[in-house]
Amino acid sequence: MPVIGFISADGTSDQPEGQGHCSFEFALQLAKDRHEAFPYPYPLLKGIVDSVQNRGDYISATSVLHCLRADFLKRKENYYSTVESMYPSFRGTLFHGLLEKNAPDNARIEEKVKRTYKGIEIGGTFDSLLCFPDEADKKYIIQDWKTTENLPKYDSPYSSHLVQVNLYRWLLGFKPEDVVMEVHYFSMKGHKVCRLKDGTGVARGGRAPVNQHWSDAQVEAYLDDRLIKLKA
């Protein structure tokens, strides 16, 4: 079940349990009236409300990276959230929407994919998939878009994002050798792309080149570890 309302800044509530719980309709009216319970512009709150999605009962690629138990409970029980905690997701939604409008013809954008693993449905929505079916080498480029305060210092994505794009590759059923995987970071200071290393080329100092492309076995071992923690 999705989030069904906001938590007010001053404890104001229209729900029997109190605790600052406000239905979306009540919160929007308070914002329109410039009430101190919601000191935010009405268009901001309305945009956040309109972007709320019921993501169903499957385990998402994003939730696998974080607290699965908390995500599971959120999908089973109605809950309320603060505007502050919902803002980053809303900001990302706005940015993704702008990029979607300018996608090339060979791109599949914001598609939800699902796969059942050991009786558990796992799914995710990739940001962009560029398709090159006639290419002899890399046939697909999986791109994940991230808004962030600070761009990565080095040329590798943050660890959780590395896992996430590997999960998308697995969900799509592509072979690791057929894809390029990229995480694109956008901040107020600019853009940086981090392409996952595929184990080819020459590393510095004579070391073996890094391979950040996980095999199916590696992805499934990661899932096994995460799902065990959910069942514990």
Side-chain angles (χ1 to χ4, degrees), residues 8 11 19 26 43 67 78 83 95-97 155 164 179 183 189 202 207 229 232:
S8 66
Q19 302 177 34
F26 183 58
C67 180
N78 291 332
V83 175
F95 194 80
H96 282 61
D155 62 351
Q164 189 174 1
V179 302
V183 183
K189 299 178 181 179
V202 179
R207 296 187 299 269
K229 293 177 181 177

Side-chain angles (χ1 to χ4, degrees), residues 91 95 145-152 158 184-193:
R91 181 188 63 182
F95 194 80
W145 300 326
K146 301 293 185 184
T147 54
T148 183
E149 182 176 351
N150 297 306
L151 298 173
Y158 295 124
H184 290 254
Y185 292 95
F186 301 88
S187 76
M188 297 300 292
K189 299 178 181 179
H191 160 264
K192 183 173 184 177
V193 57

Side-chain angles (χ1 to χ4, degrees), residues 128-195:
S128 173
L129 175 65
L130 301 179
C131 303
F132 304 91
D134 297 327
E135 293 291 330
D137 188 13
K138 305 297 184 182
K139 300 182 184 298
Y140 308 99
I141 299 178
I142 299 172
Q143 297 176 316
D144 202 43
W145 300 326
K146 301 293 185 184
T147 54
T148 183
E149 182 176 351
N150 297 306
L151 298 173
K153 184 176 180 179
Y154 303 107
D155 62 351
S156 287
Y158 295 124
S159 58
S160 61
H161 302 156
L162 184 153
V163 176
Q164 189 174 1
V165 289
N166 272 290
L167 286 170
Y168 288 145
R169 194 279 307 161
W170 177 83
L171 285 168
L172 286 160
F174 296 155
K175 297 177 181 179
E177 60 269 22
D178 285 342
V179 302
V180 170
M181 292 183 281
E182 299 175 341
V183 183
H184 290 254
Y185 292 95
F186 301 88
S187 76
M188 297 300 292
K189 299 178 181 179
H191 160 264
K192 183 173 184 177
V193 57
C194 294
R195 176 176 290 192

Side-chain angles (χ1 to χ4, degrees), residues 57-119:
D57 293 330
Y58 68 89
I59 293 175
S60 72
T62 304
S63 66
V64 168
L65 308 175
H66 305 294
C67 180
L68 276 173
R69 187 171 297 278
D71 184 77
F72 176 81
L73 292 174
K74 285 182 178 180
R75 294 178 188 278
K76 295 298 182 182
E77 302 289 340
N78 291 332
Y79 69 100
Y80 296 82
S81 187
T82 63
V83 175
E84 290 82 1
S85 65
M86 297 178 71
Y87 178 76
S89 176
F90 174 64
R91 181 188 63 182
T93 298
L94 288 177
F95 194 80
H96 282 61
L98 292 174
L99 294 178
E100 287 174 33
K101 293 179 180 179
N102 298 291
D105 294 338
N106 65 330
R108 292 163 55 186
I109 301 294
E110 291 280 339
E111 287 188 21
K112 184 179 296 183
V113 287
K114 297 180 183 179
R115 182 171 174 177
T116 300
Y117 177 67
K118 295 187 176 180

